[in-house]
Every structure is written in structure tokens, then in C-alpha cells.
């Protein structure tokens, strides 16, 4: 029985990698392989069912759903990954700096993090989106500013016992500098936790972008985006239910893959 949990975790990880890999391939190669302009309208083909010409059918304006879905996956996943990685860099550096220096530096950084956390993350993104409606950079900046706090808190919590440990104290007595301590002691302790957090924050960013698109304060039409596609397809769910199923299933597959991949880290012995 002791080996059952690692085996189940390995299967979950493989399934997560498979789902994420499929979405990545679709996002990277889909627009090139499909070769159809996602904004091209053919009103005569309005609400065509899935077929050989259009594998996922067409929307009410006669646009290819498959082409729009591929560009939407590329946009949502790319923007979410960029925001998560951008948030991770300052968050980790500030978290390590807070644990390293302690005292007034740590108190100031903790107060800054608490101030950012007092504003709900999605509300912060909405505020930036309101300043520049429909602009990619506004959503990216809002997501990054709402995500860095989690990286700060996690890296600070992980770095504190490591820096106070015997191994780090011995390295300092032997004269090793900060770069060596960071590379030899801190990064190995931070890497597994940050990998899990990166998966969670990327999934959170994808969901946030979709939610903003649904309520109409994110990216604006005719930009292909998962949330926008859902709200565009919703009025036609009775006559063309396959339309809304496409972005919903893609979003579910992407988020499920991220969760399975992140969950693998948590069950490792």
C-alpha cells in the first residue's frame, strides 16, 4: 500500500501533462494548421453545424469556431503564463529578501503585501481593465500585481527555516556568499513549491480572463477569447449547443490539467 499513492500521483501527473500538452499543441500549431482568419465573416454560413468544412461549425456571423478557439487558446494561455511568470520573479525575490534581512525590511514588505491582499485580485484586474478597456497590457499588469503576493508569502515561509538551518549557518561560517546560499540551499527548497504555485496561478489567470470576458470588462470583440466566445454563443445554446461546448471544454481541460499537475507535487513523499 505505501507505493499506491505515488503510483496514483504519477498517473495524475501524466494525465495532467497530456491535457496541458494537447492544449499547448492546439494553441501553438492550431492557428497555423487551420489557416483561417478568425475574424473572417461569411454570413451565408451562419450557425453551420460541425462538418468537413468547419470541424466545430460556425458562429452566428459565419466565423470558424475552430479557428477562433485556437487563437483564443493561444491568447489566454500565453497571457496567463506571462502574467504568472512575471509575478513569480518579484514575488520570490521579495520573499527571500524579507526572510534574509528580517527586521524593518521584512515588516515593510509584509505591510505592502497585506495592502495588496486587502483588494480582491479580480477587482484589481477590473480596475486596470477599466483604465484601458480592451488592452492586453492592462489585463496582464492587473493579473501580475494580483498574483505576486502569493509567491511572496510562500517563498518567505519556505526561505525562513532554510536560512535558519544548520546547513546555511555552516556555509556562512565557511565563507560562502549569498549567491552560493541561494543556489545551493534556497532554490532546491523553493523549486517544488513554486512549480505547484505556478500551475495554480496560471490556471487562476486563465479563469480570471474568461470571467472578465463573460462580464464584458476584459478583452473586447472581435478578439477571440474564451470568455467572450462563451457570452457570444450563449444566446444560441438551444439551436447550436455545440458552440458553447467548445470553449467550455477547452477551459475545463486546461484548468484540470494544471490542477492535476500541481496536485502531483503535493502528494510526493
Amino acid at each position: 500500500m505505501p507505493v499506491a499513492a505515488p503510483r496514483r500521483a504519477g498517473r495524475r501527473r501524466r494525465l495532467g501533462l497530456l491535457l496541458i500538452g494537447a492544449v499547448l499543441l492546439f494553441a501553438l500549431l492550431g492557428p497555423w494548421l487551420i489557416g483561417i482568419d478568425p475574424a473572417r465573416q461569411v454570413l451565408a454560413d451562419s450557425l453551420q453545424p460541425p462538418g468537413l468544412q468547419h470541424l466545430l461549425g460556425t458562429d452566428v456571423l459565419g466565423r470558424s469556431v475552430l479557428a477562433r478557439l485556437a487563437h483564443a487558446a493561444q491568447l489566454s494561455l500565453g497571457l496567463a503564463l506571462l502574467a504568472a511568470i512575471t509575478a513569480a520573479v518579484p514575488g520570490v525575490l521579495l520573499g527571500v529578501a524579507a526572510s534574509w534581512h528580517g527586521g524593518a525590511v521584512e515588516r515593510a514588505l509584509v505591510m505592502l503585501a497585506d495592502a495588496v491582499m486587502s483588494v480582491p485580485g479580480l477587482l484589481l484586474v477590473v480596475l486596470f481593465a477599466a483604465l484601458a478597456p480592451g488592452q492586453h497590457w492592462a489585463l496582464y499588469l492587473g493579473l501580475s500585481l494580483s498574483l505576486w503576493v502569493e509567491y511572496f508569502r510562500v517563498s518567505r515561509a519556505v526561505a525562513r527555516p532554510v536560512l535558519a538551518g544548520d546547513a546555511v549557518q555552516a556555509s556562512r561560517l565557511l565563507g560562502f556568499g549569498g549567491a552560493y546560499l541561494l543556489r545551493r540551499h534556497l532554490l532546491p527548497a523553493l523549486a517544488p513549491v513554486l512549480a505547484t504555485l505556478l500551475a495554480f496561478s496560471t490556471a487562476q489567470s486563465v479563469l480570471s480572463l474568461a470571467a472578465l470576458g463573460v462580464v464584458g470588462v476584459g478583452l473586447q470583440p472581435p478578439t477571440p477569447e474564451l470568455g467572450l466566445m462563451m457570452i457570444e454563443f450563449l444566446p444560441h445554446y438551444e439551436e447550436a449547443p455545440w458552440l458553447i461546448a467548445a470553449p467550455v471544454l477547452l477551459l475545463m481541460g486546461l484548468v484540470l490539467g494544471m490542477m492535476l499537475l500541481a496536485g502531483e507535487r503535493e502528494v510526493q513523499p
Side-chain angles (χ1 to χ4, degrees), residues 248-260:
V248 168
L249 290 176
L250 180 66
L251 185 62
M252 288 176 57
L254 178 59
V255 174
L256 178 61
M258 292 290 184
M259 295 299 101
L260 290 172

Side-chain angles (χ1 to χ4, degrees), residues 16-106:
L17 287 173
L18 181 63
L19 289 172
I20 295 173
V23 175
L24 279 174
L25 286 176
F26 180 64
L28 293 175
L29 302 180
W32 176 69
L33 292 176
I34 298 168
I36 300 177
D37 184 1
R40 179 173 175 265
Q41 300 181 14
V42 183
L43 297 181
D45 294 337
S46 176
L47 297 180
Q48 289 290 319
L52 294 178
Q53 184 178 4
H54 299 289
L55 296 180
L56 293 180
T58 61
D59 63 7
V60 69
L61 297 177
R63 299 174 295 190
S64 171
V65 174
L66 184 62
R68 291 184 64 78
L69 192 65
H71 284 80
Q74 188 178 77
L75 174 62
S76 296
L77 189 57
L79 196 59
L81 275 173
L82 182 62
I85 294 173
T86 305
V89 174
V92 172
L93 292 178
L94 291 175
V96 172
S99 297
W100 192 293
H101 296 285
V105 173
E106 184 174 19

Side-chain angles (χ1 to χ4, degrees), residues 36-267:
I36 300 177
D37 184 1
R40 179 173 175 265
Q41 300 181 14
V42 183
L43 297 181
D45 294 337
S46 176
L47 297 180
Q48 289 290 319
L52 294 178
Q53 184 178 4
H54 299 289
L55 296 180
L56 293 180
T58 61
D59 63 7
V60 69
L61 297 177
R63 299 174 295 190
S64 171
V65 174
L66 184 62
R68 291 184 64 78
L69 192 65
H71 284 80
Q74 188 178 77
L75 174 62
S76 296
L77 189 57
L79 196 59
L81 275 173
L82 182 62
I85 294 173
T86 305
V89 174
V92 172
L93 292 178
L94 291 175
V96 172
S99 297
W100 192 293
H101 296 285
V105 173
E106 184 174 19
R107 288 193 297 271
L109 291 174
V110 170
M111 289 177 61
L112 176 62
D114 290 342
V116 175
M117 285 192 64
S118 65
V119 181
L122 196 58
L123 178 59
L124 187 61
V125 182
V126 170
L127 292 176
F128 276 89
L131 295 176
Q135 297 296 316
H136 294 66
W137 66 265
L139 296 175
Y140 155 73
L141 188 59
L143 287 172
S144 298
L145 290 176
S146 65
L147 291 174
W148 74 269
V149 178
E150 289 301 322
Y151 290 94
F152 168 79
R153 296 177 63 195
V154 169
S155 58
R156 172 173 168 261
V158 173
R160 177 177 293 175
V162 173
L163 292 173
D166 295 336
V168 171
Q169 300 304 321
S171 297
R172 285 175 170 170
L173 290 174
L174 292 173
F176 291 107
Y180 175 85
L181 298 179
L182 181 64
R183 184 181 68 254
R184 182 67 178 83
H185 299 289
L186 285 175
L187 288 183
L190 287 169
V193 182
L194 293 181
T196 298
L197 188 56
L198 183 64
F200 275 118
S201 58
T202 302
Q204 178 184 344
S205 297
V206 172
L207 289 173
S208 297
L209 289 172
L212 292 173
V214 167
V215 299
V217 296
L219 298 175
Q220 300 300 311
T223 304
E225 192 272 326
L226 295 175
L228 280 177
M229 292 179 68
M230 292 179 197
I231 201 64
E232 289 173 352
F233 297 160
L234 188 59
H236 312 286
Y237 75 95
E238 290 187 350
E239 54 186 324
W242 59 85
L243 289 180
I244 196 168
V248 168
L249 290 176
L250 180 66
L251 185 62
M252 288 176 57
L254 178 59
V255 174
L256 178 61
M258 292 290 184
M259 295 299 101
L260 290 172
L261 192 60
E264 155 70 5
R265 296 289 182 175
E266 295 179 345
V267 297

